[in-house]
Amino acid sequence: PKTDIVFLKVHKSASSTVMNILFRFGERHNLTFAFPQGGGFQLFYPYHFLARFVQGFSPLSPRRFNILCHHMRFLQPEVQKVVPSSAVYFSILRNPVQLMESSFVYYKGASAFSRVRSLEEFLSQPYRYYSPASGDRHYARNLMTFDFGFNPDGDVSPERVQLMLKAIEASFDFLLISEYFDESMVLLKEMLCWDLDSVVSFPLNIRDRSSKSPLPASVVEKLKAWNRLDWEIYTHFNRTFWERL
């Protein structure tokens, strides 16, 4: 079984459920976790990850942690300072349309969302409410792109998109898809050489179905366009996920 693991915990993508699986496995096998400095539950998010954010890390000590799985904004050179070179890197993605709808409900206090009544109102004139200079802008646009360490307001040209996808492929061994959670757990089990009991899970931090309603087709298209970088990441790795499965 693989015991050295980096899990990029992407927001609103069933990542708490995956983190719980890692906690359980690590506890059973007496593994060490890279916990946030000061006892927080995020690694100084939304700043790019730095090794010194980890409790017990010292640049003078060769100590490495087995599992890194708390919320962070990914920066691989710094991550490599706290985990063994043999570590397996993986993350989980969610359809950007559902992700944005979930973010709107969950992060209603974010500056981009606080003055609008609905997602439709926000998308009708996004730049009226959204500021690229705002410190919490990432909750309102290309949240996955941001968590992977890239600029959520970046260029969407085919060349730039390809560079981003290649960078993710170079850093991560595989990406799961939250809409296909059971299939993802089978893939996780195979990739980490774990037994089936290790990936049995129960859903955590999910919304009640009654608070969800289907979005009109016109809104879906606007969401895809507004979150174009996330959409490119999702469609690319959704395809490679099924090839691998």
Side-chain angles (χ1 to χ4, degrees):
K2 304 282 199 304
T3 54
D4 298 325
I5 293 161
V6 174
F7 171 55
L8 178 63
K9 190 173 188 281
V10 171
H11 287 76
K12 311 311 301 164
S13 302
S15 56
S16 293
T17 305
V18 177
M19 187 165 83
N20 185 261
I21 289 169
L22 295 174
F23 278 153
R24 198 177 66 220
F25 183 85
E27 190 172 14
R28 185 191 307 161
H29 294 273
N30 202 27
L31 303 179
T32 57
F33 285 85
F35 285 112
Q37 190 75 258
F41 58 91
Q42 300 193 357
L43 289 154
F44 290 78
Y45 187 87
Y47 299 104
H48 272 107
F49 176 81
L50 296 175
R52 61 182 173 83
F53 294 165
V54 172
Q55 192 171 306
F57 170 79
S58 166
L60 305 175
S61 164
R63 183 187 180 195
R64 294 288 187 270
F65 299 87
N66 296 118
I67 299 178
L68 176 64
C69 63
H70 285 72
H71 276 308
M72 63 173 162
R73 190 175 183 203
F74 190 67
L75 186 61
Q76 191 164 21
E78 288 291 314
V79 169
Q80 288 170 330
K81 294 177 184 178
V82 299
V83 295
S85 58
S86 60
V88 177
Y89 288 68
F90 77 99
S91 186
I92 188 164
L93 304 176
R94 184 180 183 185
N95 185 309
V97 174
Q98 279 78 50
L99 177 62
M100 178 84 172
E101 192 269 339
S102 179
S103 288
F104 182 79
V105 174
Y106 197 81
Y107 301 113
K108 194 67 178 73
S111 56
F113 295 149
S114 59
R115 293 181 293 132
V116 293
R117 288 185 299 272
S118 66
L119 201 47
E120 289 91 327
E121 186 181 344
F122 172 79
L123 290 164
S124 65
Q125 304 177 73
Y127 283 109
R128 182 179 173 187
Y129 311 105
Y130 175 87
S131 167
S134 166
D136 61 0
R137 76 193 194 283
H138 50 284
Y139 293 125
R141 188 177 201 189
N142 290 313
L143 180 51
M144 292 190 294
T145 301
F146 184 87
D147 285 356
F148 276 95
F150 302 102
N151 178 7
D153 298 297
D155 180 8
V156 296
S157 68
E159 296 78 19
R160 294 292 299 176
V161 166
Q162 281 306 308
L163 281 172
M164 181 177 68
L165 296 177
K166 282 185 165 40
I168 295 172
E169 283 181 333
S171 298
F172 289 84
D173 296 288
F174 58 101
L175 299 184
L176 309 176
I177 304 290
S178 66
E179 285 82 15
Y180 304 105
F181 194 81
D182 290 345
E183 293 89 340
S184 291
M185 291 304 97
V186 172
L187 181 61
L188 182 68
K189 167 195 170 301
E190 293 297 316
M191 299 302 292
L192 297 180
C193 303
W194 289 6
D195 59 30
L196 197 57
D197 282 349
S198 295
V199 295
V200 171
S201 64
F202 52 92
L204 292 173
N205 198 23
I206 60 168
R207 276 163 65 200
D208 187 270
R209 287 183 185 275
S210 63
S211 67
K212 302 176 186 178
S213 54
L215 297 166
S218 58
V219 173
V220 169
E221 291 310 310
K222 284 180 181 176
L223 279 171
K224 288 180 188 176
W226 177 247
N227 295 285
R228 174 71 186 279
L229 293 172
D230 272 11
W231 186 251
E232 295 285 355
I233 291 173
Y234 180 78
T235 51
H236 175 80
F237 288 105
N238 188 23
R239 186 173 67 253
T240 59
F241 172 83
W242 287 104
E243 287 169 0
R244 177 166 265 166
L245 205 66

